[in-house]
Amino acid sequence: MPKINKILVANRGEIALRIIRAAQELNIKTIAVYSEADRGSLPVRHADEAVCIGPPPSSESYLLGEKIIKVAKESSADAIHPGYGFLSENATFAQQVSDAGLIFIGPSPDSIRLMGNKLTAKEAVKPYGIPLVPGIELPDIKNFNKVKKAASDIGYPLLIKATAGGGGKGMRLVHSEKDLKDQLARASSEASSAFGDSSVFIEKYITNNKHIEIQVLGDQQGNLVHLFERECSIQRRHQKVIEEAPSPVVDKEMRAKMGNAAVKVAQACGYFGAGTVEFIVDQNMNFYFLEMNTRLQVEHPVTEQITGIDLVKEQIAIAEGEKISFDQEDIKLNGHSLEVRVYAEDPENDFLPEVGNLHHYNRPQGLGVRVDDGYEQGMDIPIYYDPMIAKLITFGKDRKEAIQRMNRAIDEFEISGVATTLGFARFVINHPSFVSGEFNTGFVSDHYKPDQQLSNGFGSEDLSNIASALAYTIWEKNRQNLQTLSNNSSKSNWKDRLKYD
Ligand code: ADP
């Protein structure tokens, strides 16, 4: 079996550091590649070697597959870990890596290709009896009257999605037939500019849906297991901001059903490595396959916390050709974990990304708190990449304790220089709907309206939401003062307003 001695990490930020740490624990050498914007970054400092691969735009650095492979060969690396984003779901890159005689730490190019297209993915899993959202495959229907008829058969509202889609881009909600043609044209042009592929398809829009996904692991011998679910329904712009494991609404029976379905999806594409099968869940707790992400997921730490399994080490062992060392029955679910993605974004201004310098940056610590990040005080948040600063992860014996720890960790996290989503996260995790577990992907649009709540005064029925939004706004605006206030007084008003339970 090929032993990996040196890994080139084809990524940046927190995930590059996460991979480097796992490699270090396994005594595997690492090479960081970096753009000019990341010269002083943490992965560059932590890796054994670091090579600059180009200017800041990712099209001139982190997306240059051939250049990255050349660096790997020249530095005698024997494997490449792509992390998430960038080249991680690029089948051509995965193929080029293995053609160059290197190990791609991930699934086969064929699995990536099959699952990278939402329609071929649906086709592939259909024979396995996986529930699918009713939809219309537009490449089959050239005639608009036919599309209109098929759409009304499914029933409005409908969602138009990009076949090559990802990151919530190219999605359009259609409420009625009169908007269908126009929205199809818009979605198609958005898809073309975002993915270089204008093809779109239509799905029934599942109202009040939850997004629940299953972590799977497969080895090259064909063994597959699942590592339970992650609840990812707290989203803005169809993108996750807070995740947890297990889901507060999934019971043992549903967990087993979803887990089995996810394993079948992985079987359908001959999967090996770590992957995630995403499901959308309707109000009656019926689940439907959405897509499979053929890589490590941003929110993988919550699964690691509740299973005690290091997913990056498993990825490396699988890439070396080792068998998974445990059976499904050996995997035990223990405790509860939450992840808050701390973005440099302004939640008061429609989550607009921010750039700037981290004047002050102090991570929370203590029992049950994990911070995966790639920044330190004094560093700049570059404009070129995803504005995530850190992942704040807590673990508790149960959900209540994980939430309590998250509140404490948010209090302790000191960031100044850019607006962040920390105060927004505090609003969410203390909201009655979140605390009850009965929330869906509409949470942010249903409950989080700081501007409206402020300008409307106290006219709304839900006074606790208003109090929380107000407290949040004050907290964001006067973060430094309030930090001092909270340190000096355990009985400040703004803190009391945030308490629901
Ligand atoms: P992407 O690959 O762009 O992230 P996904 O298919 O994974 O797109 O969907 C992202 C999110 O969009 C889901 O978590 C869900 O909130 C919403 N979504 C996707 N499909 C549907 C649907 N058919 N009905 C309602 N919401 C949907």
Side-chain angles (χ1 to χ4, degrees):
M1 271 190 285
K3 193 92 193 98
I4 295 175
N5 295 305
K6 203 180 206 186
I7 296 175
L8 181 145
V9 182
N11 217 297
R12 64 178 299 281
E14 67 87 17
I15 197 61
L17 187 55
R18 166 76 190 86
I19 296 160
I20 290 168
R21 283 183 168 141
Q24 281 169 342
E25 288 175 24
L26 295 167
N27 279 323
I28 295 174
K29 296 262 179 267
T30 52
I31 307 162
V33 287
Y34 63 95
S35 79
E36 285 160 13
D38 288 331
R39 200 171 285 281
S41 71
L42 290 187
V44 169
R45 280 170 23 202
H46 280 249
D48 295 296
E49 294 166 46
V51 179
C52 181
I53 47 165
S58 41
S59 58
E60 295 172 44
S61 51
Y62 296 106
L63 288 172
L64 295 180
E66 284 175 24
K67 187 161 189 177
I68 289 170
I69 292 171
K70 192 162 169 267
V71 171
K73 294 293 279 181
E74 285 168 1
S75 335
S76 316
D78 32 39
I80 296 184
H81 195 308
Y84 54 68
F86 296 128
L87 295 164
S88 61
E89 289 178 290
N90 184 320
T92 308
F93 177 68
Q95 187 62 59
Q96 286 168 341
V97 171
S98 72
D99 289 348
L102 301 166
I103 296 172
F104 179 75
I105 303 181
S108 72
D110 285 346
S111 302
I112 299 175
R113 199 169 289 116
L114 192 62
M115 290 292 143
N117 177 302
K118 290 183 201 279
L119 284 184
T120 56
K122 281 185 167 202
E123 281 304 316
V125 306
K126 223 187 244 171
Y128 289 76
I130 308 298
L132 300 172
V133 184
I136 312 166
E137 296 180 15
L138 292 173
D140 292 346
I141 309 171
K142 299 275 180 286
N143 176 334
F144 184 65
N145 281 334
K146 255 182 153 178
V147 177
K148 252 186 358 198
K149 166 82 175 61
S152 79
D153 286 349
I154 295 177
Y156 290 86
L158 295 168
L159 191 66
I160 306 173
K161 289 171 132 180
T163 309
K169 285 191 204 119
M171 273 191 212
R172 296 234 150 213
L173 185 59
V174 192
H175 291 284
S176 64
E177 192 175 289
K178 69 174 176 27
D179 301 326
L180 182 61
K181 198 167 195 170
D182 187 38
Q183 293 291 49
L184 273 172
R186 281 166 193 252
S188 186
S189 113
E190 258 173 43
S192 169
S193 55
F195 311 109
D197 176 354
S198 63
S199 54
V200 294
F201 66 102
I202 299 177
E203 266 182 5
K204 181 162 184 61
Y205 183 76
I206 310 281
T207 44
N208 301 327
N209 69 77
K210 291 175 80 67
H211 176 119
I212 300 178
E213 61 188 29
I214 304 279
Q215 176 71 52
V216 294
L217 268 184
D219 60 28
Q220 298 190 49
Q221 290 74 15
N223 301 303
L224 278 160
V225 292
H226 71 84
L227 279 72
F228 317 122
E229 79 281 2
R230 289 186 288 258
E231 160 68 66
C232 307
S233 299
I234 305 292
Q235 305 180 351
R236 48 101 184 77
R237 289 193 292 268
H238 297 298
Q239 282 194 287
K240 303 156 190 167
V241 271
I242 297 177
E243 302 97 340
E244 62 183 305
S247 163
V249 295
V250 170
D251 60 17
K252 245 184 161 171
E253 195 190 339
M254 186 172 173
R255 180 166 302 127
K257 271 195 193 152
M258 290 185 85
N260 287 338
V263 163
K264 281 187 190 158
V265 169
Q267 255 166 12
C269 65
Y271 201 81
F272 58 83
T276 295
V277 181
E278 297 189 335
F279 295 100
I280 190 163
V281 180
D282 71 15
Q283 294 174 83
N284 303 318
M285 299 305 281
N286 299 307
F287 62 88
Y288 307 91
F289 170 70
L290 264 187
E291 64 168 349
M292 179 168 191
N293 291 326
T294 54
R295 54 168 164 83
L296 194 65
Q297 202 90 329
V298 177
E299 57 275 21
H300 76 275
V302 293
T303 299
E304 296 185 321
Q305 298 298 128
I306 62 154
T307 59
I309 293 171
D310 182 323
L311 286 167
V312 180
K313 283 188 190 165
E314 291 301 324
Q315 285 187 301
I316 295 171
I318 291 164
E320 286 180 325
E322 280 183 30
K323 271 188 175 171
I324 297 174
S325 60
F326 41 82
D327 294 326
Q328 188 66 57
E329 300 72 50
D330 300 331
I331 309 168
K332 296 277 178 276
L333 194 167
N334 172 41
H336 201 99
S337 180
L338 283 184
E339 174 182 280
V340 160
R341 299 191 192 186
V342 185
Y343 282 101
E345 283 181 1
D346 186 358
E348 269 183 80
N349 196 1
D350 205 18
F351 295 91
L352 205 69
E354 294 244 319
V355 287
N357 183 272
L358 290 172
H359 293 311
H360 184 70
Y361 186 77
N362 200 10
R363 299 177 190 97
Q365 295 178 359
L367 183 63
V369 176
R370 164 177 171 182
V371 180
D372 280 19
D373 65 4
Y375 289 99
E376 279 191 334
Q377 185 159 304
M379 287 182 178
D380 287 327
I381 309 285
I383 196 168
Y384 306 98
Y385 318 111
D386 181 87
M388 192 171 75
I389 304 171
K391 301 189 308 205
L392 174 56
I393 302 129
T394 60
F395 176 74
K397 62 179 183 302
D398 53 25
R399 189 167 189 261
K400 191 171 174 203
E401 191 174 55
I403 293 177
Q404 285 166 344
R405 287 217 165 106
M406 188 57 84
N407 267 307
R408 190 267 292 169
I410 290 174
D411 264 1
E412 244 181 82
F413 214 149
E414 296 168 10
I415 304 179
S416 75
V418 288
T420 77
T421 47
L422 269 177
F424 160 77
R426 169 193 279 291
F427 166 81
V428 176
I429 65 167
N430 293 291
H431 192 281
S433 160
F434 183 85
V435 172
S436 74
E438 299 292 323
F439 54 92
N440 57 50
T441 55
F443 179 95
V444 173
S445 56
D446 289 349
H447 301 298
Y448 184 69
K449 293 164 185 140
D451 286 351
Q452 193 187 326
Q453 280 164 340
L454 288 173
S455 60
N456 286 354
F458 292 88
S460 157
E461 303 130 45
D462 195 346
L463 277 175
S464 61
N465 285 356
I466 294 171
S468 185
L470 269 170
Y472 160 74
T473 310
I474 295 163
W475 187 83
E476 277 294 310
K477 290 231 165 87
N478 306 293
R479 198 185 297 120
Q480 295 287 348
N481 290 345
L482 289 170
Q483 196 73 46
T484 320
L485 202 99
S486 74
N487 289 344
N488 297 343
S489 155
S490 58
K491 279 247 161 271
S492 61
N493 287 340
W494 72 278
K495 262 188 136 183
D496 287 346
R497 278 180 184 163
L498 289 166
K499 293 216 169 95
Y500 289 106
D501 49 355

